[in-house]
Amino acid sequence: MEETPHNCPGTGSAQAGRGAACQGCPNQRLCASGAGETPDPAIEEIKEKMKTVKHKILVLSGKGGVGKSTFSAHLAHALAEDENTQVALLDIDICGPSIPKIMGLEGEQVHQSGSGWSPVFLEDNLGVMSVGFLLSSPDDAVIWRGPKKNGMIKQFLRDVDWGEVDYLIVDTPPGTSDEHLSVVQYLAAARIDGAVIITTPQEVSLQDVRKEISFCHKVKLPIIGVVENMSGFVCPKCKKESQIFPPTTGGAEAMCQDLKIPLLGKVPLDPHIGKSCDEGRSFLIDAPNSPATLAYRSIIQMRLAPYSKNVSAVPARASLRSNGPPASGQSPSGRSPRVPGAAGAAASEGGSPSQTRSRRRGGGAQ
Amino acid sequence: MEAAVAEPGNLAGVRHIILVLSGKGGVGKSTISTELALALRHAGKKVGILDVDLCGPSIPRMLQAQGRAVHQCDGGWVPVFVDQEQTVSLMSVGFLLEKPDEAVVWRGPKKNALIKQFVADVAWGQLDYLVVDTPPGTSDEHMAAVEALRPHSPLGAIVVTTPQAVSVGDVRRELTFCKKTGLRVIGVVENMSGFVCPHCAALCPWTPSSRGAWRRAETSSKSFPTALPFTPSPP
C-alpha cells in the first residue's frame, strides 16, 4: 500500500485531491474526481463474508493495559469450551499484538488457500488471526501510519476464511483512532452485536473509558456493558483484599450508573492470570477456583453467551490444546502472507494447493 | 528518515528532549513522565511536558490541571503552568476539548498535524528538559513526534515496561522502532515490579517476573543496546 502524504486531508474529505498536501500524491487525480466519496466496495464484500458469522463482539477500552486482550482471549476460551460453538478471535492491535502470546500460538503461521487466509486454529472450534502471525521475528515492529493499518484490518475482515462462526470476538488496541473507526466502518453493513468495554477502577482509566463510550455513541455502536478488571487484589500472604487501583471516584459502578450502562461484572486481580497469559494457557483451566475465574465465568455465562446453550461452570474438556500437526497428506501450503516492510520478512513459496482447514472438526475437504 | 535542518523556533530554548515510550499500554508511561518531570523540578530544573497521547490524555489529571485554558501569545500557544513558580509547563489535547469526556476520534493525518503544531507552535521558552509522553504503539503519533523533534537534539527515549512477558514482547518492538528511527535509548524502566500489601507489608508479585524474558530478549534480540540500564521502579 502506498504511503499517504503527511497532511493528507483524508479520501472522504471535501478537500480530497484539492489540498496543498495532495500535490504529488499518486492518488490525487482519483481523489479530486470524487471517487473517495463513494463507499468502499470492501464494505459490501465484508458484509457477504460476515453472513456466516452469527455474533460479533468488539472488546474496547480507551485505556491501555486494562486487560482487553486477556478478556478477549478468555472469552474465546470460555465460549469454545462448548464443542458445538464455533469461535473466532481477531486481534486488530496492529502495533502491539498480544493475542498470539496469550493464546500460546507464538510462532504460528498463516496460510493461504483458495478460499482465503486460514486462521490459526488453537482448537477445532477456536480460530485466531493476528498480525503477530505475519511477523517473522519477535523484534519486528509494525511501524505503520493509519491508512496502512486500515488496509490490514480490511484484509482481516474480507480475506480471512472464518467459515461458519457463532462468535467473532475482536480485540482492539486502546484509543479511538484508525483501528476503531475502520473496524466499525468495515463492519457497518454486517451488524455488530455490540462492544464490551474494559476498565480498571481508577479515575485515570475511567476518564479514558468515558471517551470510549462517547466514541461508541458517536459511531452508533451498541454497548453490551462494562467490565471492571483488576478490581481488588488478595494478598497471597495474609489473604486480605486491598486496592492496587483505588476507585477514588466510585469505580466503574459509579460511572455505569451515571451513564446508564450495564456493569457486567468486576474481576479481581489474581497474579496467576499474568502467569497463564505469559505461558499461553487458559487461566480458567489453570485456576478453576480462583475468584477471578468465577467472575469471568459469571460475566460470560450470564451476559455474553445468550445463544450458547451448553456453556456451564465445568469445562467440557480438561485440555484445550490439540496437539500435533495436521493429519498426514494434508499439509498446509500456499503462500504465507507476510507483513511488507517488517524486518526480515519473506514469503514462503508453497506447493500444490490443498486444504488448510484440516484441523476443523468434522471438516474434511472444504 | 532523513535528517532535517534545525530551525530556530519554539524549541530553540529547550536543552534536552526525552520521549517516554512503550509498546504496551497501561505500563505507566504517563505516571513515569509526570514523576520524571517532578523529580527534575525538584532538582532545580525547568521542565515542560508535552502529552501527545491524543486519544487518552492523562497528564492534566495527574498534575491536577484539568479544565485549564490555553492562551495565545506572539510566539504561539502558551503552555499551561502547573505550579506558581512556573517551573513545570504542560501542553495536552486535554486542554483543547470542550468537554472532558469528549472523544478525539481522528485518523492518523489529523493527529500528525496537531502533534506538529504542538512541537512548532507552543511557546515553550527556556527549558532544561522537555518530557514527551506518548500513547502505546509505534504508529502515527510516534512517527510524527520523532520527525518533528528530530532537528532539536539531543533527543533520547526512555522505554517503560512491566514485568510480564506480554509487556516485554511489545517493548522489543518499541526498541526496534527506536533503532529504525535513530532514536537513542537512554534506558528501560520496569514499572509495577511488585505490590506492597498495605495490611501485612509483604512485597507481592502481582504478575510473573520478566527476568527470564529479558535475558532471552537480550541474547536473541538485535535491537537491545549492548549496555541496557534496567531500573526496577519501587512498587
mmCIF file of all heavy atoms in Angstrom, chain A residues 208-225:
data_model
loop_
_atom_site.group_PDB
_atom_site.id
_atom_site.type_symbol
_atom_site.label_atom_id
_atom_site.label_comp_id
_atom_site.label_asym_id
_atom_site.label_seq_id
_atom_site.Cartn_x
_atom_site.Cartn_y
_atom_site.Cartn_z
ATOM 1 N N ASP A 208 -10.631 7.866 30.381
ATOM 2 C CA ASP A 208 -10.422 7.411 29.004
ATOM 3 C C ASP A 208 -11.581 6.531 28.551
ATOM 4 O O ASP A 208 -11.971 6.538 27.384
ATOM 5 C CB ASP A 208 -9.112 6.614 28.888
ATOM 6 C CG ASP A 208 -7.883 7.518 28.909
ATOM 7 O OD1 ASP A 208 -8.050 8.752 28.841
ATOM 8 O OD2 ASP A 208 -6.758 6.991 29.011
ATOM 9 N N VAL A 209 -12.144 5.767 29.488
ATOM 10 C CA VAL A 209 -13.250 4.881 29.133
ATOM 11 C C VAL A 209 -14.497 5.697 28.799
ATOM 12 O O VAL A 209 -15.267 5.328 27.914
ATOM 13 C CB VAL A 209 -13.495 3.874 30.275
ATOM 14 C CG1 VAL A 209 -14.815 3.168 30.127
ATOM 15 C CG2 VAL A 209 -12.362 2.860 30.307
ATOM 16 N N ARG A 210 -14.682 6.809 29.494
ATOM 17 C CA ARG A 210 -15.835 7.673 29.151
ATOM 18 C C ARG A 210 -15.698 8.166 27.715
ATOM 19 O O ARG A 210 -16.688 8.297 26.993
ATOM 20 C CB ARG A 210 -15.918 8.860 30.106
ATOM 21 C CG ARG A 210 -16.405 8.485 31.492
ATOM 22 C CD ARG A 210 -16.751 9.710 32.332
ATOM 23 N NE ARG A 210 -16.714 9.336 33.740
ATOM 24 C CZ ARG A 210 -15.665 9.479 34.530
ATOM 25 N NH1 ARG A 210 -14.556 10.043 34.080
ATOM 26 N NH2 ARG A 210 -15.685 9.082 35.787
ATOM 27 N N LYS A 211 -14.473 8.445 27.288
ATOM 28 C CA LYS A 211 -14.252 8.871 25.897
ATOM 29 C C LYS A 211 -14.605 7.721 24.951
ATOM 30 O O LYS A 211 -15.168 7.924 23.879
ATOM 31 C CB LYS A 211 -12.804 9.276 25.679
ATOM 32 C CG LYS A 211 -12.374 10.533 26.428
ATOM 33 C CD LYS A 211 -10.952 10.926 26.009
ATOM 34 C CE LYS A 211 -10.214 11.714 27.047
ATOM 35 N NZ LYS A 211 -10.813 12.995 27.389
ATOM 36 N N GLU A 212 -14.259 6.502 25.358
ATOM 37 C CA GLU A 212 -14.563 5.346 24.507
ATOM 38 C C GLU A 212 -16.070 5.185 24.383
ATOM 39 O O GLU A 212 -16.587 4.864 23.319
ATOM 40 C CB GLU A 212 -13.942 4.089 25.110
ATOM 41 C CG GLU A 212 -13.839 2.920 24.132
ATOM 42 C CD GLU A 212 -12.735 3.115 23.099
ATOM 43 O OE1 GLU A 212 -11.814 3.914 23.358
ATOM 44 O OE2 GLU A 212 -12.789 2.467 22.045
ATOM 45 N N ILE A 213 -16.772 5.388 25.494
ATOM 46 C CA ILE A 213 -18.234 5.305 25.479
ATOM 47 C C ILE A 213 -18.790 6.393 24.568
ATOM 48 O O ILE A 213 -19.722 6.158 23.778
ATOM 49 C CB ILE A 213 -18.782 5.412 26.920
ATOM 50 C CG1 ILE A 213 -18.388 4.150 27.709
ATOM 51 C CG2 ILE A 213 -20.293 5.603 26.926
ATOM 52 C CD1 ILE A 213 -18.613 4.227 29.202
ATOM 53 N N SER A 214 -18.210 7.567 24.650
ATOM 54 C CA SER A 214 -18.613 8.662 23.766
ATOM 55 C C SER A 214 -18.383 8.280 22.310
ATOM 56 O O SER A 214 -19.216 8.553 21.436
ATOM 57 C CB SER A 214 -17.808 9.905 24.161
ATOM 58 O OG SER A 214 -18.002 10.941 23.262
ATOM 59 N N PHE A 215 -17.249 7.628 22.025
ATOM 60 C CA PHE A 215 -16.957 7.144 20.674
ATOM 61 C C PHE A 215 -18.048 6.173 20.215
ATOM 62 O O PHE A 215 -18.541 6.263 19.093
ATOM 63 C CB PHE A 215 -15.590 6.459 20.659
ATOM 64 C CG PHE A 215 -15.335 5.593 19.445
ATOM 65 C CD1 PHE A 215 -14.937 6.157 18.245
ATOM 66 C CD2 PHE A 215 -15.489 4.210 19.503
ATOM 67 C CE1 PHE A 215 -14.712 5.361 17.126
ATOM 68 C CE2 PHE A 215 -15.260 3.417 18.387
ATOM 69 C CZ PHE A 215 -14.871 3.987 17.200
ATOM 70 N N CYS A 216 -18.407 5.236 21.100
ATOM 71 C CA CYS A 216 -19.440 4.256 20.730
ATOM 72 C C CYS A 216 -20.744 4.961 20.369
ATOM 73 O O CYS A 216 -21.395 4.609 19.381
ATOM 74 C CB CYS A 216 -19.680 3.264 21.875
ATOM 75 S SG CYS A 216 -18.291 2.143 22.168
ATOM 76 N N HIS A 217 -21.114 5.959 21.143
ATOM 77 C CA HIS A 217 -22.345 6.700 20.843
ATOM 78 C C HIS A 217 -22.213 7.410 19.498
ATOM 79 O O HIS A 217 -23.133 7.415 18.691
ATOM 80 C CB HIS A 217 -22.648 7.722 21.948
ATOM 81 C CG HIS A 217 -23.037 7.092 23.242
ATOM 82 N ND1 HIS A 217 -23.789 5.931 23.329
ATOM 83 C CD2 HIS A 217 -22.778 7.451 24.528
ATOM 84 C CE1 HIS A 217 -23.975 5.608 24.593
ATOM 85 N NE2 HIS A 217 -23.375 6.513 25.353
ATOM 86 N N LYS A 218 -21.049 7.998 19.246
ATOM 87 C CA LYS A 218 -20.833 8.752 18.002
ATOM 88 C C LYS A 218 -20.993 7.871 16.787
ATOM 89 O O LYS A 218 -21.565 8.260 15.773
ATOM 90 C CB LYS A 218 -19.407 9.328 17.975
ATOM 91 C CG LYS A 218 -19.288 10.782 18.296
ATOM 92 C CD LYS A 218 -17.869 11.279 18.014
ATOM 93 C CE LYS A 218 -17.701 12.679 18.561
ATOM 94 N NZ LYS A 218 -16.367 13.214 18.458
ATOM 95 N N VAL A 219 -20.454 6.641 16.865
ATOM 96 C CA VAL A 219 -20.494 5.755 15.695
ATOM 97 C C VAL A 219 -21.659 4.781 15.781
ATOM 98 O O VAL A 219 -21.751 3.844 14.996
ATOM 99 C CB VAL A 219 -19.159 4.981 15.527
ATOM 100 C CG1 VAL A 219 -18.012 5.940 15.308
ATOM 101 C CG2 VAL A 219 -18.888 4.072 16.692
ATOM 102 N N LYS A 220 -22.547 5.005 16.740
ATOM 103 C CA LYS A 220 -23.769 4.198 16.907
ATOM 104 C C LYS A 220 -23.436 2.712 17.110
ATOM 105 O O LYS A 220 -24.062 1.834 16.518
ATOM 106 C CB LYS A 220 -24.707 4.381 15.702
ATOM 107 C CG LYS A 220 -25.194 5.817 15.559
ATOM 108 C CD LYS A 220 -26.173 5.947 14.414
ATOM 109 C CE LYS A 220 -26.775 7.332 14.290
ATOM 110 N NZ LYS A 220 -25.881 8.454 14.422
ATOM 111 N N LEU A 221 -22.441 2.464 17.922
ATOM 112 C CA LEU A 221 -22.072 1.091 18.269
ATOM 113 C C LEU A 221 -22.747 0.728 19.595
ATOM 114 O O LEU A 221 -22.502 1.380 20.605
ATOM 115 C CB LEU A 221 -20.542 1.014 18.413
ATOM 116 C CG LEU A 221 -19.922 -0.306 18.837
ATOM 117 C CD1 LEU A 221 -20.242 -1.407 17.842
ATOM 118 C CD2 LEU A 221 -18.396 -0.148 18.941
ATOM 119 N N PRO A 222 -23.601 -0.297 19.600
ATOM 120 C CA PRO A 222 -24.275 -0.654 20.869
ATOM 121 C C PRO A 222 -23.241 -1.073 21.912
ATOM 122 O O PRO A 222 -22.218 -1.683 21.593
ATOM 123 C CB PRO A 222 -25.179 -1.843 20.483
ATOM 124 C CG PRO A 222 -25.254 -1.842 18.997
ATOM 125 C CD PRO A 222 -24.023 -1.186 18.487
ATOM 126 N N ILE A 223 -23.532 -0.737 23.165
ATOM 127 C CA ILE A 223 -22.632 -1.124 24.250
ATOM 128 C C ILE A 223 -23.294 -2.245 25.029
ATOM 129 O O ILE A 223 -24.376 -2.063 25.600
ATOM 130 C CB ILE A 223 -22.345 0.080 25.174
ATOM 131 C CG1 ILE A 223 -21.625 1.180 24.382
ATOM 132 C CG2 ILE A 223 -21.505 -0.350 26.366
ATOM 133 C CD1 ILE A 223 -21.432 2.468 25.160
ATOM 134 N N ILE A 224 -22.650 -3.407 25.046
ATOM 135 C CA ILE A 224 -23.195 -4.535 25.806
ATOM 136 C C ILE A 224 -23.018 -4.253 27.293
ATOM 137 O O ILE A 224 -23.908 -4.496 28.104
ATOM 138 C CB ILE A 224 -22.489 -5.851 25.419
ATOM 139 C CG1 ILE A 224 -22.746 -6.162 23.935
ATOM 140 C CG2 ILE A 224 -22.951 -6.996 26.308
ATOM 141 C CD1 ILE A 224 -21.935 -7.334 23.402
ATOM 142 N N GLY A 225 -21.876 -3.717 27.665
ATOM 143 C CA GLY A 225 -21.645 -3.353 29.054
ATOM 144 C C GLY A 225 -20.177 -3.150 29.346
ATOM 145 O O GLY A 225 -19.325 -3.230 28.456
#
